[in-house]
């Protein structure tokens, strides 16, 4: 959907986003690149033709907590993907810059 510096963001509907981050991570690894991915779900706003709003900011901040080739998700994503076959490892509570409260994050173990 958008780029910012050396980063990019994607937006999906209907739960397809849960497989996007693992797919992108595997694809760029074959090119010798590593990414850090953050996944969150929520309401987005369209601002000047681009997606924005708090949900987008949270997704970006979640990604900053991941290490190379890691995918971190919010508790919201973990809860909504129950039964999907994804496995998560608790990554603890984190403060997300510019976002209220502390957030429980999870690392995708199999994706």
């Amino acid at each position: 959907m958008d780029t910012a510096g050396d980063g990019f963001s994607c937006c999906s509907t209907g739960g397809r986003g849960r497989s996007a981050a693992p797919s992108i991570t595997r694809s760029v690894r074959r090119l010798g690149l590593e990414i850090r991915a953050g996944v969150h779900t929520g309401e987005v706003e369209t601002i000047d033709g681009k997606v924005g709003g708090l949900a987008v900011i949270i997704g970006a901040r979640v990604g900053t907590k991941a290490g190379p080739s890691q995918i971190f998700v919010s508790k919201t994503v973990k809860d909504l993907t129950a039964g999907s076959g994804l496995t998560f490892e608790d990554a603890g509570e984190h403060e997300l810059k510019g976002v209220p409260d502390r957030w429980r994050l999870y690392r995708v173990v199999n994706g």
Side-chain angles (χ1 to χ4, degrees):
M1 294 293 302
D2 199 7
T3 60
D6 62 353
F8 63 92
S9 64
C10 303
C11 186
S12 69
T13 61
R16 290 183 291 261
R18 72 173 183 243
S19 62
S23 178
I24 292 167
T25 302
R26 283 190 303 273
S27 294
V28 300
R29 193 177 300 133
R30 288 191 293 262
L31 300 172
L33 302 172
E34 292 185 293
I35 63 167
R36 304 167 199 270
V39 182
H40 180 65
T41 186
E43 296 291 322
V44 299
E45 304 169 39
T46 303
I47 305 165
D48 296 327
K50 298 180 180 183
V51 294
L54 187 57
V56 174
I57 292 168
I58 293 170
R61 297 300 187 247
V62 169
T64 66
K65 302 299 180 180
S69 293
Q70 288 185 329
I71 303 164
F72 274 28
V73 304
S74 64
K75 184 175 185 320
T76 307
V77 171
K78 179 185 177 289
D79 291 347
L80 289 173
T81 57
S84 68
L86 290 175
T87 305
F88 302 95
E89 176 180 281
D90 190 334
E93 284 192 350
H94 298 265
E95 288 186 19
L96 304 178
K97 181 181 173 185
V99 180
D101 303 318
R102 292 183 60 78
W103 288 73
R104 172 78 52 193
L105 302 181
Y106 297 86
R107 184 176 68 82
V108 176
V109 176
N110 70 332

